[in-house]
Amino acid sequence: MFNKNLFANKLKGIEPYVVDTGKYKARLDANESFIPLREDIRKKLCEVIESFDFNRYPDPHANDLKVAFCDYYGLKTGNVCVGNGSDEIISLLMNCFVDFGKSVMVFTPDFSMYAFYASLVGLSVVQCPKKADFSIDFDLAEKAIKENDVKLVIFSNPCNPTGKIEKKSDIKELAQKCPETIFVVDEAYMDFASIKNTESFLKETEEYENLIVLKTLSKALGAAALRLGFLVADKKFCDMLFAVKSPYNVNGLSQKCGEVLLKEKAYLDECTKSLCDSCESLYKEIVRSGIGKPDATYTNFVFFKDERAQEKQTFLRENGVLIRKFGIDGGALRITSGTSEENALVVKTLGEFKN
Ligand code: PMP
């Protein structure tokens, strides 16, 4: 019998993040891009390997990658720090930017890893419920921040899993009313929204010293395997994140591959457009076939309430299609948009579910 006292108390009841690694006809559960890398870019990556210094540690600043990222988005390198996926940055923010025992606020529903990383390092997590339409209740948020002396607020915009977007002006107002609180706006899906809307803070972090933006290469830019995430903020935050991260957090191959990819702006813009088109047609098909009643989405997935979410997810899995279900509001489904064949398959299979 393993002696459970060997583990820290905070690890009691911890559940690993479960990833289904089975073989499926359509994998529409993780909000990845469905577009395989173009052949000529793949060749450039092969050339990177041919001349790669495997014996050397990577650049702790990931400078060349940072320059490519800043060129892509029109930013200054002093306002950026690179992480091993934005997951690592979220974990570091919880670990190092908030004193032990202090409060962090998340909204419900939102990306579950925020609360996970916060509780793991002993922070108290204030859960601020969203309105019935899943938008943020900014008055309630201000009240909760003040009552609980919240040190850091984190949320995704557009939101995973609801696909909704919040107005920049509302976020701005709240951040200005609470100058002692750090606001982390996770813009993992903003590349999709920028086509229809411009609510990004990416180019405005210098104006607000308490505002941090997170970006990732895992979604619209189609490079989830590389594990590249970025913090964009006032230089002081970037320098501090650099000081607390492990020196070689981003592996050298990922740095090089990310750099090569980010220099392909026309290609990446084209991919983002294709992902948006695919999501729009999935959305329309779901509405047209009466499978669900989703609100407009600003992401690469469609989210809708469904009382039989659990059964439908199981039915789809048995038929070779993987999607996500949530316990939100009596049940909900989230379907990442895929190729036109994958979208047709998920819609057809859901249509075959017997009520
Ligand atoms: N933030 C949000 C809102 C996400 O949905 C995800 C991934 N599902 C992440 C961050 C993590 O991204 P990364 O792959 O860069 O760790």
Side-chain angles (χ1 to χ4, degrees):
M1 265 294 269
F2 182 75
N3 178 2
K4 290 210 177 97
N5 292 331
L6 291 172
F7 283 144
N9 275 336
K10 65 182 178 185
L11 297 182
K12 284 201 179 108
I14 207 129
E15 296 286 344
Y17 190 85
V18 180
V19 177
D20 188 332
T21 51
K23 284 249 173 293
Y24 291 93
K25 284 186 250 177
R27 186 172 281 282
L28 307 174
D29 65 322
N31 302 341
E32 297 148 326
S33 163
F34 60 83
I35 305 171
L37 191 62
R38 207 175 62 195
E39 212 39 52
D40 60 314
I41 304 175
R42 202 179 277 276
K43 290 229 167 71
K44 287 186 190 167
L45 300 187
C46 293
E47 286 162 22
V48 162
I49 294 187
E50 276 171 14
S51 60
F52 187 73
D53 290 331
F54 279 93
N55 52 322
R56 298 291 176 193
Y57 282 112
D59 173 9
H61 294 273
N63 245 333
D64 293 344
L65 170 65
K66 227 192 271 187
V67 169
F69 176 81
C70 290
D71 284 350
Y72 186 84
Y73 284 110
L75 305 169
K76 290 190 206 143
T77 51
N79 296 108
V80 176
C81 188
V82 190
N84 188 358
S86 39
D87 256 340
E88 185 200 21
I89 301 177
I90 297 165
S91 160
L92 281 167
L93 286 173
M94 300 302 177
N95 217 327
C96 309
F97 284 69
V98 185
D99 282 321
F100 180 74
K102 298 283 183 191
S103 296
V104 159
M105 191 167 93
V106 299
F107 296 93
T108 49
D110 205 340
F111 184 44
S112 62
M113 297 310 282
Y114 306 143
F116 174 83
Y117 286 126
S119 9
L120 201 56
V121 293
L123 303 179
S124 135
V125 182
V126 177
Q127 312 250 3
C128 186
K130 287 188 178 172
K131 294 182 190 168
D133 68 353
F134 295 130
S135 62
I136 290 180
D137 185 335
F138 283 92
D139 291 334
L140 186 64
E142 185 189 351
K143 205 161 153 261
I145 290 168
K146 292 189 170 153
E147 277 173 6
N148 297 282
D149 189 21
V150 168
K151 295 296 172 203
L152 182 147
V153 177
I154 184 164
F155 59 96
S156 53
N157 194 44
C159 172
N160 173 18
T162 68
K164 286 212 148 214
I165 194 164
E166 298 291 344
K167 281 209 198 80
K168 192 153 70 172
S169 52
D170 289 334
I171 302 169
K172 232 182 233 186
E173 203 182 317
L174 185 62
Q176 279 164 343
K177 281 179 181 166
C178 308
E180 302 297 318
T181 307
I182 301 173
F183 285 81
V184 184
V185 187
D186 182 348
E187 296 193 355
Y189 299 91
M190 192 57 93
D191 301 283
F192 301 115
S194 296
I195 286 180
K196 305 168 199 160
N197 214 316
T198 317
E199 301 293 354
S200 172
F201 275 105
L202 204 52
K203 292 189 180 159
E204 290 177 35
T205 49
E206 277 178 286
E207 289 170 39
Y208 308 93
E209 62 174 18
N210 59 338
L211 192 97
I212 290 175
V213 174
L214 301 184
K215 291 294 291 178
T216 178
L217 286 208
S218 304
K219 306 299 174 189
L221 307 197
L226 297 182
R227 312 302 302 121
L228 293 173
F230 300 81
L231 171 138
V232 184
D234 184 281
K235 188 175 180 311
K236 291 268 187 314
F237 271 122
C238 301
D239 293 347
M240 191 52 81
L241 186 69
F242 182 78
V244 298
K245 77 179 182 68
S246 70
Y248 307 115
N249 60 329
V250 182
N251 82 68
L253 265 182
S254 285
Q255 290 189 26
K256 273 276 161 215
C257 293
E259 182 194 339
V260 168
L261 186 65
L262 281 163
K263 286 181 176 160
E264 303 287 344
K265 183 152 174 45
Y267 166 73
L268 292 174
D269 288 349
E270 212 177 281
C271 289
T272 306
K273 169 89 174 60
S274 304
L275 295 170
C276 285
D277 290 348
S278 151
C279 193
E280 203 168 314
S281 60
L282 175 65
Y283 174 88
K284 281 187 184 150
E285 263 313 288
I286 287 173
V287 173
R288 191 201 56 79
S289 60
I291 283 168
K293 292 194 184 102
D295 283 336
T297 179
Y298 293 87
T299 61
N300 64 334
F301 55 83
V302 179
F303 173 89
F304 51 94
K305 291 196 215 174
D306 194 314
E307 283 173 2
R308 303 186 68 186
Q310 168 79 68
E311 294 158 82
K312 289 187 182 176
Q313 187 208 30
T314 307
F315 178 75
L316 282 172
R317 194 186 316 114
E318 287 164 357
N319 286 281
V321 181
L322 202 58
I323 65 163
R324 279 290 301 270
K325 64 114 180 49
F326 296 86
I328 300 162
D329 251 13
L333 294 173
R334 190 195 71 195
I335 308 174
T336 308
S337 65
T339 60
S340 47
E341 292 78 19
E342 288 172 329
N343 288 349
L345 179 65
V346 70
V347 170
K348 175 178 159 284
T349 315
L350 269 176
E352 286 162 3
F353 179 85
K354 299 276 176 289
N355 276 306

